[in-house]
Structures are given as structure tokens and as C-alpha cells.
DNA sequence: CAAAAATAAGTGAATGTTTATTCACTTAAA
DNA sequence: TTTAAGTGAATAAACATTCACTTATTTTTG
């Protein structure tokens, strides 16, 4: 029995991400992908059931990779400020190291594939974070706010900064590069907001 | 001379937004739009030069509408907390009143049409906000932080809450409905973060 | 241990469908 | 009568997917 060419599989995967980023889900087609990856269109249908399957599985894989990085070195039982700092570090690192991945993921977030991708990924993660937050409130480290308020204050600013960074520009098209200093400065403000 | 049927023009415009929201930019096609709006495909090419033109102009129009609402009752010379509160109220109102519009805009934000749409819209707005922020720092109402940090803390949490609301669910698929109470609670935290 | 058989990987060309866009034409209003 | 709005059918290109086929690799057999 002949076995699958790992290099081709990887080529298809990587080129799919590039194509989605560069042309949008709109301009992404199976024939373009086949050409870009240097395989026959028919080969794609050996790896994936169909176009939907390809996109969905790609999104799930990238999402998992992202969440795994996020919780690297994180522990639910950490002091609040420390746990948040670890997550900021991790998320920032992943985003800065994997711009293609993140940009691709953003496309999928705003597409009809969203539901299928997220229902698979998010479950465990949300539970762990829920525990972390409730514990912080009990310990008087975190103002008692609804989970959604917490999440919006705690992470939306970070995501926004990274968005600017990946775009290379911020408000009013001003050029922007994300530095550790800016990151820490913002995290300090966030911690100030969340302290009881 | 026969003149354009305003009702048809509006039908096309509204159905375009609906189609983009429901099927993504991916599933959006001129023939589907024509059928949904009850006109001939050829009619679309009377109103718009081509598909790109349609999408771009739609995005610009919706973006302008959004920004105009945002600065309703806002004045650069307002005290900081008040100015920010006005903008939060306005943005929240627009987003809650125009969910289709906002969802459509989110699709366009993450598409290759982004650049064309934003370069047209954002200029004046960014300048006015720059002034508002610098003045607030001078007056000791706002911690002296870079514009991007300010913007990320000041608005990203709001946008995130609205995103949850429009999705109908938040972290971990928890059902979510945005109330005034949650909005004010979050704004209070934001103001706390930004106070010197 | 090699030759043959078996099996799944991989292919280029083809299929039928959907796409954006155009065109020759009709219709309504000025 | 003139003019632009509006049309349904047509066109060529691009699309997702399939198919008959070849190729590489493993397993079985003599």
C-alpha cells in the first residue's frame, strides 16, 4: 500500500491558509489551492471530503493550536494578576509568531463556518477560565463582574492591539508596531480596571 | 425620461446586506441578489458598475452611517468622561438598532474590500478623536497613554460586548443579552482604567 | 528472496453547475 | 418622440467535484 506524502499534505494545509488570507474566503477555490500546492484537484478530495470539510477542519486545527498555546504555563490556581499576565504573554506570542494563522482564523470567525469550528473548540477552555475567574473573585483579587464584562475588559484590548499590529496600522491608518512596553502598559491599565 | 425606481434601489441595497450576512461574502452572488431583490441581474449593473463597486459602495455607505451616529451629540471639547459616555451610548445604540448593518460591516472588515472601504471613511473621524484625547490628557482627565492603548481600552470592550450580543452568546456559547446595566458597569471599569 | 498481486495515493481531463457580465430588446415617464 | 430604466436570455470563465487511469509501496506468494 502506498502511503500519503506528508510533504504534500503540509503544502496543501499551508497554501490553504495563505490563499484564504490573501484572497479571502471569497477568492479561495479548490482549483487555485491545488495549483498553489502543486497537486491535482483530485488529491484534495483524498485528504478532505469536500471544500466545507477542508475549511472546517483547517479552522478547528488552527483554533486548537491557538488555545493550546494560550494555556501554556497557565494554571487555574495561579494568583489572578499572574494568570492574566501569562495568558497575555501567550496570546501575544502566538499572534505575533503566527500572523497567517490568526488572519486566517479571523476570516473564518466571520464566515458561516464559524459555528461548526467553535462548537468543537471552545468547550473545555471556557470552563477552565470560568473557574479561574470565580476563584479570583472569591479571593478578592478581582472585582465581582459578570463573566462577559470580565472577558471584554481582560482580553478585547489585547486582541485590538494585536489587530493593529497585524494590520501594521492603527486608528486613522497610523503605522503601528506592537512592543512589549505597549503591551505591559495596556495590561497594567486592564489590571487596574479589574482590581476590586 | 424614465427615472429610477427608489423602491427597487432600496430593495437591492437591503437584500445585499441580508445576503452578505446570511451567506457570507462567499455565498453572495449577483444572480442570487437579483432574485432576492426581485430585479433582473442586468438592473444591478445600472445601479453599480460591477460586483466590487456594489460591495465597496455598500460598505462605505454603512460605515459612514455608523460613524455619523457615533458622533451624534458629541463635541471634541466635552469633558473626557462625558464624551466617552456619549460615544458609548451612540455606538451601542447604532449596533443594537442595526444588527444587520454591523454584521455585514464585520464581513467586509475581514475581506479584501477592507482597505478601499476604510480609507474613504476613517480620516476625519480619527482626527477629531485625536484632538479629544490629547485635550483630555492635557487637562489631567486621562492617563497619558499612546493613542492605540487608549483606543484599545476605551472601545474594544464595548465592541466585544456588542459582538456577544449580536451573536446571542458569549464565552463558551453562554447565551447573552446586552443590558444598560452591563454596559454601564463595563464603562465604569474602563473609566477607572483610564483615569490618571 | 524476488516476482506478483493488492491497495491506496495521486493524476489530468472532463462534467455539469454557477458565476459575473453583456446585449438586444421592451417599458415607462418626461 | 426621446431617453434612460429595466428586462430575460445568452456568454464565457471559473467553480466544485468525479472518473478512468497511472504510480508507488506494501504484502503475499512461489
Amino acid at each position: 500500500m502506498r502511503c500519503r506524502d506528508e510533504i504534500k499534505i503540509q503544502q496543501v494545509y499551508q497554501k490553504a491558509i495563505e490563499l484564504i488570507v490573501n484572497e479571502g474566503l471569497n477568492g479561495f477555490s479548490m482549483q487555485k489551492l491545488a495549483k498553489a500546492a502543486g497537486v491535482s484537484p483530485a488529491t484534495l478530495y483524498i485528504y478532505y471530503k469536500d471544500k466545507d470539510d477542508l475549511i472546517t477542519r483547517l479552522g478547528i486545527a488552527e483554533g486548537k493550536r491557538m488555545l493550546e498555546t494560550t494555556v501554556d504555563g497557565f494554571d487555574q490556581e495561579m494568583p489572578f494578576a499572574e494568570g492574566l499576565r501569562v495568558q497575555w504573554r501567550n496570546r501575544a506570542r502566538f499572534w505575533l509568531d503566527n500572523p497567517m494563522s490568526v488572519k486566517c482564523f479571523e476570516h473564518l470567525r466571520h464566515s458561516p463556518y464559524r459555528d461548526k469550528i467553535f462548537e468543537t473548540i471552545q468547550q473545555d477552555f471556557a470552563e477552565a477560565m470560568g473557574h479561574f475567574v470565580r476563584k479570583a473573585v472569591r479571593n478578592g483579587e478581582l472585582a465581582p463582574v459578570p463573566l462577559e464584562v470580565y472577558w471584554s475588559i481582560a482580553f478585547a484590548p489585547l486582541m485590538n492591539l494585536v489587530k493593529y499590529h497585524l494590520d501594521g496600522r492603527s486608528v486613522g491608518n497610523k503605522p503601528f508596531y506592537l512592543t512589549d512596553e505597549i503591551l505591559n502598559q495596556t495590561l497594567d491599565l486592564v489590571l487596574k480596571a479589574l482590581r476590586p
Side-chain angles (χ1 to χ4, degrees), chain A:
Chain A
M1 183 185 77
R2 189 174 174 183
C3 64
R4 291 192 188 176
D5 185 338
E6 202 56 44
I7 294 172
K8 271 179 187 162
I9 293 178
Q10 279 309 311
Q11 271 293 314
V12 167
Y13 193 90
Q14 286 308 323
K15 290 290 171 185
I17 293 178
E18 276 177 41
L19 258 177
I20 291 173
V21 170
N22 293 331
E23 318 222 11
L25 266 178
N26 212 4
F28 173 80
S29 86
M30 296 301 262
Q31 323 218 36
K32 278 190 201 167
L33 173 56
K35 182 169 275 183
V39 301
S40 159
T43 303
L44 303 178
Y45 289 83
I46 296 172
Y47 300 159
Y48 301 97
K49 183 172 154 295
D50 54 24
K51 193 187 180 186
D52 272 18
D53 183 50
L54 189 157
I55 293 174
T56 308
R57 279 167 52 193
L58 190 99
I60 290 172
E62 289 303 299
K64 278 204 172 135
R65 221 161 60 78
M66 198 176 317
L67 285 192
E68 270 157 27
T69 310
T70 302
V71 295
D72 175 41
F74 170 81
D75 184 327
Q76 297 180 24
E77 308 303 331
M78 279 176 165
F80 176 70
E82 190 190 337
L84 197 57
R85 203 170 284 275
V86 167
Q87 284 186 61
W88 269 56
R89 200 221 315 121
N90 288 343
R91 282 172 186 257
R93 196 189 60 204
F94 183 87
W95 278 327
L96 301 186
D97 290 349
N98 304 271
M100 277 293 178
S101 205
V102 178
K103 282 182 186 175
C104 175
F105 206 68
E106 279 301 299
H107 280 278
L108 301 180
R109 278 179 75 83
H110 298 87
S111 77
Y113 297 101
R114 212 199 104 112
D115 285 346
K116 228 178 209 173
I117 292 171
F118 272 71
E119 76 188 19
T120 310
I121 294 177
Q122 231 184 21
Q123 222 55 32
D124 305 343
F125 184 73
E127 269 169 45
M129 288 306 132
H131 176 85
F132 175 67
V133 169
R134 280 188 300 275
K135 190 209 62 178
V137 171
R138 250 190 340 265
N139 293 354
E141 300 170 295
L142 169 61
V145 294
L147 184 61
E148 294 86 359
V149 173
Y150 161 72
W151 203 269
S152 300
I153 298 274
F155 294 114
L158 168 61
M159 300 192 311
N160 200 56
L161 286 175
V162 172
K163 199 186 68 189
Y164 288 160
H165 178 85
L166 293 183
D167 290 347
R169 53 204 147 75
S170 68
V171 204
N173 274 331
K174 191 178 156 205
F176 180 74
Y177 181 88
L178 183 55
T179 62
D180 274 353
E181 195 196 339
I182 289 179
L183 216 53
N184 286 325
Q185 193 175 11
T186 313
L187 177 55
D188 288 341
L189 294 185
V190 165
L191 287 170
K192 180 173 155 197
L194 292 175
R195 247 189 310 268

